[in-house]
Amino acid sequence: MIASDIIAYAWQSLSRHRGRSLLMLIAMGISVASVMLLTALGEGARRYVHDEFASLGTNLIIVLPGRNETTGAGLNAMPGVTPRDLTLDDARALARHSAITRIAPLNVGAVEASWQNRKREITLLGSTHDLLKLRHWKLAAGQFLPDMEWERTTPVCVIGKKIRDEIFGPHAALGQWLRLGQNRYRVIGIMASEGRTIGLDVEETVIIPVASAQSLLNTPSLFRILIETSSRGAMPSVIEFATAVIRERHYGEEDVTVITQDAVLQTFDRILSTLTYAVGGIAAISLVVAGILIMNVMLVAVSQRTAEIGLLKALGASRQQILRLILTEAMLMSLVGATAGFVIGIFGSWGIRLAFPELQVYPPFWAILTSLLVALVTGLLFSLLPAGKAAGLDPVRALQGR
Amino acid sequence: MIRLEQIHRDFEVGDQIVHALNDINLDIAHGEYLSVMGPSGSGKSTLLNIIGILDHATSGRYFLNEQNVTDMDELAESRARNRHIGFVFQSFHLVPRLTAAQNIELPLVLAGIAPALRRQKVQQVLESLSLADRAHHTPDQLSGGQRQRVAIARATITEPSVLLADEPTGNLDQKSGSEVIVTLEALNQRGITLIVVTHDKNIADRSLRSLQMVDGRVVSDRHGR
Ligand SMILES: Nc1ncnc2c1ncn2[C@@H]1O[C@H](COP(=O)(O)OP(=O)(O)OP(=O)(O)O)[C@@H](O)[C@H]1O
Ligand SMILES: [Mg+2]
């Protein structure tokens, strides 16, 4: 029997029994679609978290004042000892390491910004030229802080999109003088809006040179020092270096915390990947359920078609041919069901993306592949029994419909 | 061409043994026209099934075209059925979802013949059995006589050497029954060995050789009309 005939014969018998074929198709389809959608959601969540963190910068090391309490009875717990401030000099001392490509001291405060008669409370960021690239930010217009001596105060500022809209409205903001506290700063750049939510909201920020911020906020202490290393591999040595330098500068007190976003990210990654596998696995159980359904339906199909199978044998069909015919029927069904499920999965994840644009809900390739494979394999495995039953029928009895 | 030696076929029913065939010895030559008669339960169908290799003798030897069927494995048996044997059943046994032409080509499909050649052969057979205008009808759109002629076309499409018909007119009225018999006899005239199981004395009288069976034994074997 040639392949196209086997398929045509199986197809004809399937389309003759629309009801039960549809049943198998739906079972298979739902299973495949649910595996795809659930893993797509899991992957989407993982990628979302991943991107949120990645948007903070790559190979990023953050130095913050104060000992991390989780490392034990820290200095914070001791009465009378306050952590020493992080200063610009500390930052400069750190910049000596050769694996450091960018370093940005960061100062944060809340001040009132005004222009003509418009006022609003803003988040003030004091930093340096490197911050833009270090944080992977983008400018909408103008330029970022100039590359200059950190100690220099220059009356320039870069403003977030929301600040521009609310304070300047329809007026051109670039070149205008924005009043922050007692001083005026010329607007030299406007930040592009960021889709991200973790970290600072750039849209409501005004960025000025770090020295200007120090004097405006009237404090020499830094909020953070952000460090970008040349490679991921360089991070441990830079962390060690930073810790040692600060300890030395702070007279032996280890009063800063050095963290990487990597460590946090990896933990999230692991949790969410595990979750994705778990829900994918649970959904895969439905594939097995679909397989059992296929087995039952095929058993009924075989007993309904006993006489036909007897006839085929009388016409010269071998055991193997009967086996192949029934298996092909089940496989075709699984294939069509799996394809339907695949289409549902693709459109479903597209629908979810429409509803939640911030989630990258794409079924992962491995999930598509395994769900399709598992669908076909269960379809095959569970139709072995009915096919074997059909192949083993005694032709004389089968012809009598027994 | 067909040679049965001491064929026995026993069925176990509960703790009883039914001797459906009891020491059958039979030689059937190429191109013979043989009718088998006998009361119900005398073993006519069982005999036909064994000749058609659908059933196996409990003991005895069976040669078909000088080949020992008793020694064949399942694959060889099915191949022999496909090539050498055509069946015509009382209840037609057409596949309801397939058209007449598709039913007729089934043995060729099973044999793995290419579609083009199949079409050609089916067309020939349809014409010779005057079924050409019914080619694309499904069985439920055909009369009983037409169905049986489609079944005959299917049985002969592989040009087998033996045509086995088990009460081929049993489900037909007088007129279509005799049409079917005429069709079968015409095939026999063209060389096919024809074995017809029947309850109809008229049909038996038309055959050149007639077996009478009782209780699994051949009680008379009449040659000539
Ligand atoms: N599968 C079977 N199991 C048990 N007994 C069987 C089986 N098939 C046939 N028999 C018995 O074998 C005997 C011969 O049966 P067979 O069908 O050959 O008779 P027949 O001559 O064709 O009868 P009919 O004219 O009614 O068709 C009967 O007694 C029948 O009951
Ligand atoms: Mg009978």
Side-chain angles (χ1 to χ4, degrees):
Chain A
M1 217 173 161
I2 54 185
S4 63
D5 285 328
I6 297 180
I7 290 169
Y9 193 89
W11 184 256
Q12 256 166 333
S13 102
L14 283 173
S15 45
R16 168 86 177 187
H17 301 278
R18 294 240 168 77
R20 69 172 181 227
S21 302
L22 208 66
L23 194 70
M24 295 202 285
L25 199 137
I26 290 171
M28 236 349 148
I30 289 179
S31 311
V32 170
S34 60
V35 171
M36 279 174 63
L37 284 179
L38 288 174
T39 51
L41 275 172
E43 260 297 291
R46 194 190 64 77
R47 205 173 314 182
Y48 176 75
V49 171
H50 192 281
D51 290 354
E52 286 293 327
F53 276 95
S55 74
L56 296 179
T58 37
N59 305 333
L60 193 63
I61 294 170
I62 304 161
V63 182
L64 48 147
R67 192 78 192 104
N68 193 339
E69 287 179 56
T70 55
T71 54
L75 289 167
N76 289 349
M78 288 186 208
V81 184
T82 31
R84 217 170 299 270
D85 288 337
L86 268 180
T87 63
L88 268 185
D89 291 334
D90 289 336
R92 187 172 310 289
L94 292 180
R96 290 202 315 262
H97 195 282
S98 62
I100 294 179
T101 45
R102 295 195 172 89
I103 183 159
L106 210 62
N107 225 334
V108 181
V111 297
E112 192 181 70
S114 62
W115 179 72
Q116 294 180 355
N117 56 355
R118 290 171 207 250
K119 284 181 191 161
R120 67 159 287 179
E121 194 70 12
I122 56 106
T123 306
L124 181 76
L125 265 190
S127 193
T128 58
H129 180 72
D130 272 358
L131 182 69
L132 182 77
K133 289 201 170 130
L134 191 146
R135 289 294 306 266
H136 298 180
W137 284 340
K138 295 256 167 2
L139 280 168
Q143 58 196 46
F144 199 64
L145 299 177
D147 193 2
M148 59 178 193
E149 288 291 311
W150 289 358
E151 282 75 11
R152 261 182 69 189
T153 59
T154 310
V156 293
C157 68
V158 179
I159 62 174
K161 194 173 157 293
K162 213 167 188 170
I163 309 283
R164 199 216 61 183
D165 290 347
E166 290 180 10
I167 292 190
F168 296 98
H171 307 281
L174 280 182
Q176 299 290 340
W177 289 93
L178 181 69
R179 179 173 287 278
L180 297 170
Q182 300 307 311
N183 308 325
R184 297 195 310 157
Y185 298 80
R186 189 185 283 278
V187 177
I188 58 168
I190 297 163
M191 302 299 299
S193 59
E194 288 273 315
R196 302 292 157 201
T197 49
I198 289 183
L200 277 165
D201 193 351
V202 185
E203 294 196 349
E204 300 193 51
T205 327
V206 173
I207 307 166
I208 62 174
V210 65
S212 308
Q214 282 178 326
S215 75
L216 183 65
L217 299 170
N218 196 22
T219 169
S221 74
L222 295 176
F223 173 65
R224 296 277 188 276
I225 300 171
L226 304 181
I227 299 169
E228 184 193 81
T229 64
S230 55
S231 68
R232 174 176 281 238
M235 293 179 78
S237 84
V238 172
I239 292 170
E240 205 174 309
F241 170 78
T243 316
V245 166
I246 302 287
R247 192 194 301 121
E248 189 187 322
R249 292 181 54 82
H250 291 191
Y251 309 102
E253 305 277 18
E254 208 175 303
D255 56 0
V256 292
T257 303
V258 181
I259 57 168
T260 65
Q261 106 271 29
D262 239 47
V264 188
L265 177 58
Q266 274 172 14
T267 310
F268 268 108
D269 234 41
R270 244 195 326 273
I271 294 171
L272 290 169
S273 293
T274 311
L275 214 66
T276 304
Y277 289 128
V279 293
I282 291 167
I285 293 175
S286 67
L287 278 171
V288 176
V289 176
I292 293 172
L293 185 73
I294 286 191
M295 177 169 75
N296 278 307
V297 170
M298 289 310 291
L299 278 174
V300 172
V302 165
S303 65
Q304 275 178 350
R305 291 200 335 242
T306 306
E308 182 185 322
I309 292 160
L311 169 77
L312 289 179
K313 290 198 160 189
L315 297 180
S318 64
R319 215 176 251 273
Q320 216 197 7
Q321 279 181 319
I322 302 285
L323 200 71
R324 219 175 285 162
L325 276 177
I326 304 290
L327 287 184
T328 305
E329 227 173 272
M331 288 303 282
L332 263 184
M333 211 56 265
S334 317
L335 194 70
V336 174
T339 311
F342 173 76
V343 172
I344 296 173
I346 294 292
F347 275 94
S349 43
W350 174 70
I352 296 174
R353 287 200 299 277
L354 279 191
F356 307 98
E358 65 275 17
L359 276 185
Q360 298 265 314
V361 180
Y362 291 96
F365 183 69
W366 61 262
I368 296 177
L369 204 70
T370 39
S371 68
L372 292 183
L373 270 177
V374 171
L376 295 186
V377 169
T378 46
L380 185 71
L381 281 183
F382 282 100
S383 53
L384 278 176
L385 179 72
K389 206 178 150 209
L393 283 174
D394 169 46
V396 176
R397 293 174 62 98
L399 275 166
Q400 293 162 349
R402 285 190 288 160
Chain B
M1 190 205 126
I2 288 171
R3 186 186 179 85
L4 299 177
E5 294 177 355
Q6 294 159 17
I7 292 287
H8 289 258
R9 179 63 170 110
D10 301 338
F11 290 106
E12 278 178 49
V13 183
D15 25 297
Q16 262 192 318
I17 290 185
V18 179
H19 301 284
L21 293 180
N22 200 343
D23 193 28
I24 303 285
N25 292 281
L26 202 57
D27 261 302
I28 302 170
H30 214 287
E32 266 196 276
Y33 176 9
L34 179 85
S35 66
V36 183
M37 290 194 63
S40 184
S42 56
K44 308 180 295 291
S45 296
T46 307
L47 177 66
L48 219 57
N49 289 336
I50 285 186
I51 294 175
I53 330 181
L54 281 181
D55 197 4
H56 299 103
T58 312
S59 68
R61 298 203 298 169
Y62 168 26
F63 294 89
L64 175 66
N65 296 327
E66 273 69 56
Q67 273 190 297
N68 190 343
V69 174
T70 336
D71 292 344
M72 287 182 179
D73 62 7
E74 198 266 340
L75 193 65
E77 282 178 0
S78 54
R79 203 164 283 159
R81 274 201 297 271
N82 186 263
R83 293 202 190 139
H84 303 306
I85 293 162
F87 282 101
V88 176
F89 305 96
Q90 178 175 358
S91 52
F92 321 130
H93 279 302
L94 299 178
V95 181
R97 65 174 176 278
L98 302 180
T99 64
Q102 285 171 328
N103 266 290
I104 293 170
E105 80 174 342
L106 265 181
L108 299 178
V109 171
L110 290 170
I113 308 287
L117 184 57
R118 285 193 326 236
R119 260 194 300 280
Q120 197 183 320
K121 288 199 168 197
V122 169
Q123 194 55 37
Q124 273 172 12
V125 173
L126 279 169
E127 270 160 29
S128 73
L129 294 179
S130 34
L131 285 164
D133 52 338
R134 295 283 181 267
H136 302 296
H137 292 214
T138 50
D140 57 354
Q141 297 166 327
L142 298 174
S143 73
Q146 285 167 338
R147 285 182 211 182
Q148 197 58 301
R149 295 219 305 281
V150 169
I152 293 170
R154 183 180 62 193
T156 52
I157 190 82
T158 52
E159 297 167 33
S161 38
V162 196
L163 187 55
L164 306 172
D166 195 346
E167 301 185 40
T169 61
N171 280 5
L172 300 176
D173 58 42
Q174 188 76 40
K175 184 170 162 290
S176 16
S178 53
E179 271 174 20
V180 162
I181 287 301
V182 167
T183 308
L184 290 174
E185 286 173 356
L187 288 162
N188 172 247
Q189 226 104 79
R190 284 193 266 149
I192 200 165
T193 310
L194 176 63
I195 305 178
V196 184
V197 168
T198 182
H199 283 293
D200 188 338
K201 186 91 177 51
N202 295 322
I203 296 172
D205 287 345
R206 297 168 68 113
S207 64
L208 290 167
R209 183 178 172 191
S210 184
L211 288 189
Q212 190 72 38
M213 291 186 68
V214 174
D215 286 343
R217 289 175 189 276
V218 177
V219 293
S220 101
D221 186 352
R222 170 183 62 76
H223 287 259
R225 257 185 274 254

